[in-house]
Amino acid sequence: SSHFGSRAKRGSSARRCCFARIAVRGACPAMEVDYGEDEAAARPAGRRQKGRGGEDDDRYAGKAGVFDRLPHDEDDAGPARSIEGWVIVVSGVHEEAQEDDVFEAFAEFGDIKNLHLNLDRRTGFVKGYAFIEYETKQEAAQAIKAMDRQALLEQKLSVHWAFAKPAGAARRRR
């Protein structure tokens, strides 16, 4: 055997012996683990939730659990206003549609404040949906009523409110 090869063996076996001695003696604090047998017995046998919220803590007790809310209209159910306007979601947009095609189709119902036409990074084509923001609820409602189930570039669109408030019974109150 060569001098280099025997040296590598000696070094690696010496390392193995060193770690084995530490583990056997219990001198390595990382090797000593308390598994908490008494905690495991106290835990219920049912399904355990992992991550945040798994334990019952006092994180949201008292005023810490009171969160700010946006003011809501007099009716509980129906569309919800975003921070800047009324947003509708248009699905079924043709993959080769341009922003101008969608803008021209929906501009006749009111002033469009914002239009998002998301593209697939890999293909560069439209993902199939768009978000359109109008200034007023009436403009957005007209666009939904007129363009839902209509064709744009020979493809049928589906137009709905992007944000909706839950019905009164289903709404959580704190």
Side-chain angles (χ1 to χ4, degrees):
S1 95
S2 71
H3 179 68
F4 180 74
S6 64
R7 226 170 150 191
K9 282 183 184 175
R10 261 188 294 148
S12 62
S13 63
R15 265 188 252 117
R16 258 187 273 131
C17 290
C18 178
F19 285 124
R21 269 185 262 133
I22 291 172
V24 170
R25 287 187 206 156
C28 181
M31 299 298 283
E32 296 176 12
V33 179
D34 181 20
Y35 290 104
E37 289 83 16
D38 54 337
E39 290 176 14
R43 219 177 286 137
R47 188 172 176 167
R48 205 172 140 237
Q49 182 179 355
K50 296 181 180 179
R52 290 181 186 233
E55 305 87 33
D56 190 23
D57 59 3
D58 295 336
R59 185 183 334 214
Y60 298 117
K63 281 192 168 186
V66 178
F67 300 102
D68 292 337
R69 295 188 182 275
L70 290 173
H72 62 279
D73 297 334
E74 56 279 347
D75 57 341
D76 275 348
R81 187 181 195 283
S82 74
I83 301 298
E84 297 178 9
W86 296 87
V87 182
I88 62 173
V89 61
V90 181
S91 58
V93 178
H94 193 276
E95 65 179 12
E96 293 181 2
Q98 298 291 317
E99 193 170 314
D100 292 342
D101 299 329
V102 178
F103 188 89
E104 289 172 10
F106 285 86
E108 63 184 81
F109 305 106
D111 185 33
I112 294 177
K113 289 179 63 176
N114 201 354
L115 186 139
H116 275 279
L117 192 62
N118 293 333
L119 303 178
D120 188 317
R121 288 182 187 169
R122 188 172 49 87
T123 63
F125 289 119
V126 173
K127 282 192 171 183
Y129 64 92
F131 291 104
I132 302 172
E133 183 176 352
Y134 288 99
E135 181 70 39
T136 67
K137 184 178 179 180
Q138 291 75 26
E139 293 171 344
Q142 286 176 347
I144 291 171
K145 188 175 180 181
M147 293 301 292
D148 191 30
R149 302 178 193 262
Q150 296 300 313
L152 178 68
L153 298 178
E154 301 171 357
Q155 196 157 328
K156 190 168 114 177
L157 300 177
S158 176
V159 186
H160 300 285
W161 293 106
F163 306 110
K165 291 182 266 186
R171 191 173 195 170
R172 292 190 316 162
R173 298 191 192 269
R174 291 186 182 203

